[in-house]
Amino acid sequence: MYFRMLEDPTHAAVTYLLADLERGEAVLIDPRPDDLPLLQALLAEQRLACRAVLRTHGHLGEVPAEALAQALEATAQALADGDCLPFGDERLCALATPGHTDACRSYAWRDRLFCGGLLGIGECPAQPLPQQPAALWDSAQRLLRLPAETLLFPAHAPRGRGVSTVGEQRRSHPWLAAPSRDECLRRIRAAGAAFDNP
């Protein structure tokens, strides 16, 4: 097992590299174009072939995952809910978690979940507020039913904190730990008003 986080402090974005060192296969989650030389060097250093490039979410104007995959001699995968992707002797499985954007996916691997912008309300520079707040609540409830010790890794970490747990988010998320769906949506609407009227 090999696991690396690459943080970009300028954009508060995080790329994840997961690999089976013995079998020489890797998967990348949310790679950035600027990181390509570093990613290629890491893959070469560990003698890894990149099996797939995955995105938790995407925004207009971003370099398509297909272009990044081609540069890494990999494939861009769009896994459906419940689909699993083998790499070496490892498996990564997709969960549909729409809300931040319509086609958001989270990816489960071992004791970890890579959840993109699902929990980071206000943290994605391209889209601070969820595209579909009601869907985001439903997706978050699905995630928060996972075991409390599950490690959560976001696509953006603006305060330098790249990991939390399901138990922590259940207790203290500013919106998603709300006592009800209506209260969560009210808080998101209030945040939207604050963005519109700084």
PDB file of all heavy atoms in Angstrom, residues 170-191:
ATOM      1  N   ARG A 170     -20.160  14.305  12.081  1.00  0.00           N
ATOM      2  CA  ARG A 170     -21.501  14.153  12.676  1.00  0.00           C
ATOM      3  C   ARG A 170     -21.705  15.160  13.804  1.00  0.00           C
ATOM      4  O   ARG A 170     -22.793  15.707  13.982  1.00  0.00           O
ATOM      5  CB  ARG A 170     -21.655  12.752  13.262  1.00  0.00           C
ATOM      6  CG  ARG A 170     -21.919  11.644  12.298  1.00  0.00           C
ATOM      7  CD  ARG A 170     -22.051  10.346  13.083  1.00  0.00           C
ATOM      8  NE  ARG A 170     -21.927   9.173  12.251  1.00  0.00           N
ATOM      9  CZ  ARG A 170     -21.522   7.995  12.689  1.00  0.00           C
ATOM     10  NH1 ARG A 170     -21.204   7.824  13.965  1.00  0.00           N
ATOM     11  NH2 ARG A 170     -21.441   6.975  11.864  1.00  0.00           N
ATOM     12  N   ARG A 171     -20.661  15.358  14.599  1.00  0.00           N
ATOM     13  CA  ARG A 171     -20.783  16.224  15.784  1.00  0.00           C
ATOM     14  C   ARG A 171     -20.703  17.710  15.455  1.00  0.00           C
ATOM     15  O   ARG A 171     -21.397  18.505  16.092  1.00  0.00           O
ATOM     16  CB  ARG A 171     -19.663  15.902  16.786  1.00  0.00           C
ATOM     17  CG  ARG A 171     -19.766  14.549  17.439  1.00  0.00           C
ATOM     18  CD  ARG A 171     -18.738  14.399  18.554  1.00  0.00           C
ATOM     19  NE  ARG A 171     -17.374  14.586  18.088  1.00  0.00           N
ATOM     20  CZ  ARG A 171     -16.609  13.607  17.596  1.00  0.00           C
ATOM     21  NH1 ARG A 171     -17.098  12.377  17.499  1.00  0.00           N
ATOM     22  NH2 ARG A 171     -15.372  13.849  17.211  1.00  0.00           N
ATOM     23  N   SER A 172     -19.853  18.082  14.485  1.00  0.00           N
ATOM     24  CA  SER A 172     -19.489  19.496  14.437  1.00  0.00           C
ATOM     25  C   SER A 172     -19.545  20.172  13.078  1.00  0.00           C
ATOM     26  O   SER A 172     -19.153  21.337  12.970  1.00  0.00           O
ATOM     27  CB  SER A 172     -18.074  19.659  15.014  1.00  0.00           C
ATOM     28  OG  SER A 172     -17.142  18.911  14.232  1.00  0.00           O
ATOM     29  N   HIS A 173     -20.015  19.494  12.016  1.00  0.00           N
ATOM     30  CA  HIS A 173     -20.081  20.194  10.733  1.00  0.00           C
ATOM     31  C   HIS A 173     -21.057  21.371  10.851  1.00  0.00           C
ATOM     32  O   HIS A 173     -22.176  21.216  11.341  1.00  0.00           O
ATOM     33  CB  HIS A 173     -20.522  19.253   9.618  1.00  0.00           C
ATOM     34  CG  HIS A 173     -20.302  19.839   8.264  1.00  0.00           C
ATOM     35  ND1 HIS A 173     -21.141  20.790   7.737  1.00  0.00           N
ATOM     36  CD2 HIS A 173     -19.321  19.635   7.347  1.00  0.00           C
ATOM     37  CE1 HIS A 173     -20.705  21.144   6.542  1.00  0.00           C
ATOM     38  NE2 HIS A 173     -19.602  20.460   6.278  1.00  0.00           N
ATOM     39  N   PRO A 174     -20.651  22.577  10.397  1.00  0.00           N
ATOM     40  CA  PRO A 174     -21.492  23.759  10.622  1.00  0.00           C
ATOM     41  C   PRO A 174     -22.869  23.716   9.976  1.00  0.00           C
ATOM     42  O   PRO A 174     -23.789  24.385  10.447  1.00  0.00           O
ATOM     43  CB  PRO A 174     -20.651  24.913  10.054  1.00  0.00           C
ATOM     44  CG  PRO A 174     -19.581  24.284   9.243  1.00  0.00           C
ATOM     45  CD  PRO A 174     -19.377  22.903   9.753  1.00  0.00           C
ATOM     46  N   TRP A 175     -23.031  22.958   8.901  1.00  0.00           N
ATOM     47  CA  TRP A 175     -24.342  22.852   8.268  1.00  0.00           C
ATOM     48  C   TRP A 175     -24.903  21.443   8.353  1.00  0.00           C
ATOM     49  O   TRP A 175     -26.070  21.249   8.673  1.00  0.00           O
ATOM     50  CB  TRP A 175     -24.263  23.254   6.784  1.00  0.00           C
ATOM     51  CG  TRP A 175     -24.118  24.720   6.576  1.00  0.00           C
ATOM     52  CD1 TRP A 175     -25.104  25.656   6.637  1.00  0.00           C
ATOM     53  CD2 TRP A 175     -22.914  25.429   6.292  1.00  0.00           C
ATOM     54  NE1 TRP A 175     -24.593  26.911   6.404  1.00  0.00           N
ATOM     55  CE2 TRP A 175     -23.252  26.803   6.183  1.00  0.00           C
ATOM     56  CE3 TRP A 175     -21.593  25.049   6.117  1.00  0.00           C
ATOM     57  CZ2 TRP A 175     -22.312  27.776   5.902  1.00  0.00           C
ATOM     58  CZ3 TRP A 175     -20.653  26.022   5.835  1.00  0.00           C
ATOM     59  CH2 TRP A 175     -21.010  27.357   5.735  1.00  0.00           C
ATOM     60  N   LEU A 176     -24.075  20.467   8.074  1.00  0.00           N
ATOM     61  CA  LEU A 176     -24.584  19.102   7.931  1.00  0.00           C
ATOM     62  C   LEU A 176     -24.849  18.408   9.253  1.00  0.00           C
ATOM     63  O   LEU A 176     -25.524  17.385   9.298  1.00  0.00           O
ATOM     64  CB  LEU A 176     -23.614  18.289   7.074  1.00  0.00           C
ATOM     65  CG  LEU A 176     -23.415  18.866   5.670  1.00  0.00           C
ATOM     66  CD1 LEU A 176     -22.323  18.123   4.941  1.00  0.00           C
ATOM     67  CD2 LEU A 176     -24.711  18.849   4.880  1.00  0.00           C
ATOM     68  N   ALA A 177     -24.339  18.970  10.351  1.00  0.00           N
ATOM     69  CA  ALA A 177     -24.684  18.434  11.673  1.00  0.00           C
ATOM     70  C   ALA A 177     -25.957  19.097  12.209  1.00  0.00           C
ATOM     71  O   ALA A 177     -26.309  18.918  13.373  1.00  0.00           O
ATOM     72  CB  ALA A 177     -23.527  18.647  12.645  1.00  0.00           C
ATOM     73  N   ALA A 178     -26.647  19.836  11.350  1.00  0.00           N
ATOM     74  CA  ALA A 178     -27.897  20.485  11.751  1.00  0.00           C
ATOM     75  C   ALA A 178     -28.920  19.425  12.164  1.00  0.00           C
ATOM     76  O   ALA A 178     -28.878  18.291  11.692  1.00  0.00           O
ATOM     77  CB  ALA A 178     -28.457  21.305  10.583  1.00  0.00           C
ATOM     78  N   PRO A 179     -29.845  19.785  13.042  1.00  0.00           N
ATOM     79  CA  PRO A 179     -30.796  18.788  13.534  1.00  0.00           C
ATOM     80  C   PRO A 179     -31.807  18.314  12.491  1.00  0.00           C
ATOM     81  O   PRO A 179     -32.448  17.286  12.684  1.00  0.00           O
ATOM     82  CB  PRO A 179     -31.503  19.512  14.689  1.00  0.00           C
ATOM     83  CG  PRO A 179     -31.301  20.967  14.413  1.00  0.00           C
ATOM     84  CD  PRO A 179     -29.990  21.082  13.700  1.00  0.00           C
ATOM     85  N   SER A 180     -31.945  19.052  11.389  1.00  0.00           N
ATOM     86  CA  SER A 180     -32.918  18.642  10.377  1.00  0.00           C
ATOM     87  C   SER A 180     -32.481  19.120   8.999  1.00  0.00           C
ATOM     88  O   SER A 180     -31.652  20.027   8.861  1.00  0.00           O
ATOM     89  CB  SER A 180     -34.300  19.229  10.687  1.00  0.00           C
ATOM     90  OG  SER A 180     -34.278  20.635  10.480  1.00  0.00           O
ATOM     91  N   ARG A 181     -33.097  18.505   7.989  1.00  0.00           N
ATOM     92  CA  ARG A 181     -32.839  18.909   6.601  1.00  0.00           C
ATOM     93  C   ARG A 181     -33.217  20.363   6.392  1.00  0.00           C
ATOM     94  O   ARG A 181     -32.487  21.137   5.768  1.00  0.00           O
ATOM     95  CB  ARG A 181     -33.648  17.990   5.687  1.00  0.00           C
ATOM     96  CG  ARG A 181     -33.479  18.177   4.207  1.00  0.00           C
ATOM     97  CD  ARG A 181     -34.299  17.094   3.503  1.00  0.00           C
ATOM     98  NE  ARG A 181     -34.115  17.074   2.073  1.00  0.00           N
ATOM     99  CZ  ARG A 181     -34.829  17.798   1.225  1.00  0.00           C
ATOM    100  NH1 ARG A 181     -35.774  18.626   1.666  1.00  0.00           N
ATOM    101  NH2 ARG A 181     -34.605  17.706  -0.077  1.00  0.00           N
ATOM    102  N   ASP A 182     -34.386  20.776   6.917  1.00  0.00           N
ATOM    103  CA  ASP A 182     -34.843  22.157   6.728  1.00  0.00           C
ATOM    104  C   ASP A 182     -33.865  23.153   7.346  1.00  0.00           C
ATOM    105  O   ASP A 182     -33.594  24.207   6.765  1.00  0.00           O
ATOM    106  CB  ASP A 182     -36.235  22.353   7.349  1.00  0.00           C
ATOM    107  CG  ASP A 182     -37.326  21.658   6.539  1.00  0.00           C
ATOM    108  OD1 ASP A 182     -37.063  21.274   5.378  1.00  0.00           O
ATOM    109  OD2 ASP A 182     -38.435  21.498   7.076  1.00  0.00           O
ATOM    110  N   GLU A 183     -33.334  22.812   8.519  1.00  0.00           N
ATOM    111  CA  GLU A 183     -32.385  23.713   9.163  1.00  0.00           C
ATOM    112  C   GLU A 183     -31.086  23.808   8.364  1.00  0.00           C
ATOM    113  O   GLU A 183     -30.516  24.887   8.208  1.00  0.00           O
ATOM    114  CB  GLU A 183     -32.094  23.244  10.595  1.00  0.00           C
ATOM    115  CG  GLU A 183     -31.031  24.040  11.326  1.00  0.00           C
ATOM    116  CD  GLU A 183     -31.357  25.524  11.491  1.00  0.00           C
ATOM    117  OE1 GLU A 183     -32.533  25.927  11.316  1.00  0.00           O
ATOM    118  OE2 GLU A 183     -30.421  26.292  11.798  1.00  0.00           O
ATOM    119  N   CYS A 184     -30.626  22.686   7.839  1.00  0.00           N
ATOM    120  CA  CYS A 184     -29.430  22.689   6.999  1.00  0.00           C
ATOM    121  C   CYS A 184     -29.636  23.586   5.779  1.00  0.00           C
ATOM    122  O   CYS A 184     -28.790  24.434   5.468  1.00  0.00           O
ATOM    123  CB  CYS A 184     -29.084  21.279   6.555  1.00  0.00           C
ATOM    124  SG  CYS A 184     -27.755  21.191   5.336  1.00  0.00           S
ATOM    125  N   LEU A 185     -30.773  23.428   5.089  1.00  0.00           N
ATOM    126  CA  LEU A 185     -31.034  24.226   3.895  1.00  0.00           C
ATOM    127  C   LEU A 185     -31.189  25.702   4.249  1.00  0.00           C
ATOM    128  O   LEU A 185     -30.751  26.580   3.491  1.00  0.00           O
ATOM    129  CB  LEU A 185     -32.280  23.703   3.180  1.00  0.00           C
ATOM    130  CG  LEU A 185     -32.186  22.253   2.678  1.00  0.00           C
ATOM    131  CD1 LEU A 185     -33.445  21.860   1.930  1.00  0.00           C
ATOM    132  CD2 LEU A 185     -30.959  22.047   1.813  1.00  0.00           C
ATOM    133  N   ARG A 186     -31.748  25.994   5.425  1.00  0.00           N
ATOM    134  CA  ARG A 186     -31.856  27.399   5.862  1.00  0.00           C
ATOM    135  C   ARG A 186     -30.461  28.001   6.046  1.00  0.00           C
ATOM    136  O   ARG A 186     -30.204  29.132   5.635  1.00  0.00           O
ATOM    137  CB  ARG A 186     -32.636  27.480   7.166  1.00  0.00           C
ATOM    138  CG  ARG A 186     -32.904  28.918   7.626  1.00  0.00           C
ATOM    139  CD  ARG A 186     -33.349  28.988   9.064  1.00  0.00           C
ATOM    140  NE  ARG A 186     -32.285  28.598   9.984  1.00  0.00           N
ATOM    141  CZ  ARG A 186     -31.244  29.381  10.288  1.00  0.00           C
ATOM    142  NH1 ARG A 186     -31.100  30.572   9.731  1.00  0.00           N
ATOM    143  NH2 ARG A 186     -30.325  28.947  11.136  1.00  0.00           N
ATOM    144  N   ARG A 187     -29.548  27.233   6.646  1.00  0.00           N
ATOM    145  CA  ARG A 187     -28.184  27.732   6.875  1.00  0.00           C
ATOM    146  C   ARG A 187     -27.453  27.960   5.551  1.00  0.00           C
ATOM    147  O   ARG A 187     -26.715  28.943   5.411  1.00  0.00           O
ATOM    148  CB  ARG A 187     -27.407  26.739   7.750  1.00  0.00           C
ATOM    149  CG  ARG A 187     -27.932  26.661   9.168  1.00  0.00           C
ATOM    150  CD  ARG A 187     -27.135  25.664   9.995  1.00  0.00           C
ATOM    151  NE  ARG A 187     -27.770  25.429  11.284  1.00  0.00           N
ATOM    152  CZ  ARG A 187     -27.275  24.641  12.225  1.00  0.00           C
ATOM    153  NH1 ARG A 187     -26.126  24.012  12.032  1.00  0.00           N
ATOM    154  NH2 ARG A 187     -27.914  24.477  13.369  1.00  0.00           N
ATOM    155  N   ILE A 188     -27.673  27.074   4.597  1.00  0.00           N
ATOM    156  CA  ILE A 188     -27.026  27.249   3.287  1.00  0.00           C
ATOM    157  C   ILE A 188     -27.592  28.478   2.580  1.00  0.00           C
ATOM    158  O   ILE A 188     -26.857  29.258   1.974  1.00  0.00           O
ATOM    159  CB  ILE A 188     -27.180  25.980   2.428  1.00  0.00           C
ATOM    160  CG1 ILE A 188     -26.363  24.837   3.050  1.00  0.00           C
ATOM    161  CG2 ILE A 188     -26.725  26.226   0.993  1.00  0.00           C
ATOM    162  CD1 ILE A 188     -26.565  23.486   2.387  1.00  0.00           C
ATOM    163  N   ARG A 189     -28.918  28.680   2.672  1.00  0.00           N
ATOM    164  CA  ARG A 189     -29.512  29.890   2.069  1.00  0.00           C
ATOM    165  C   ARG A 189     -28.951  31.151   2.714  1.00  0.00           C
ATOM    166  O   ARG A 189     -28.661  32.137   2.029  1.00  0.00           O
ATOM    167  CB  ARG A 189     -31.034  29.865   2.210  1.00  0.00           C
ATOM    168  CG  ARG A 189     -31.740  28.950   1.223  1.00  0.00           C
ATOM    169  CD  ARG A 189     -33.248  29.221   1.191  1.00  0.00           C
ATOM    170  NE  ARG A 189     -33.868  29.015   2.475  1.00  0.00           N
ATOM    171  CZ  ARG A 189     -34.342  27.847   2.920  1.00  0.00           C
ATOM    172  NH1 ARG A 189     -34.250  26.783   2.140  1.00  0.00           N
ATOM    173  NH2 ARG A 189     -34.906  27.749   4.103  1.00  0.00           N
ATOM    174  N   ALA A 190     -28.789  31.126   4.029  1.00  0.00           N
ATOM    175  CA  ALA A 190     -28.221  32.283   4.728  1.00  0.00           C
ATOM    176  C   ALA A 190     -26.784  32.537   4.290  1.00  0.00           C
ATOM    177  O   ALA A 190     -26.375  33.683   4.099  1.00  0.00           O
ATOM    178  CB  ALA A 190     -28.286  32.059   6.244  1.00  0.00           C
ATOM    179  N   ALA A 191     -26.035  31.468   4.098  1.00  0.00           N
ATOM    180  CA  ALA A 191     -24.656  31.625   3.609  1.00  0.00           C
ATOM    181  C   ALA A 191     -24.653  32.207   2.198  1.00  0.00           C
ATOM    182  O   ALA A 191     -23.827  33.056   1.868  1.00  0.00           O
ATOM    183  CB  ALA A 191     -23.930  30.288   3.628  1.00  0.00           C
TER     184      ALA A 191
END
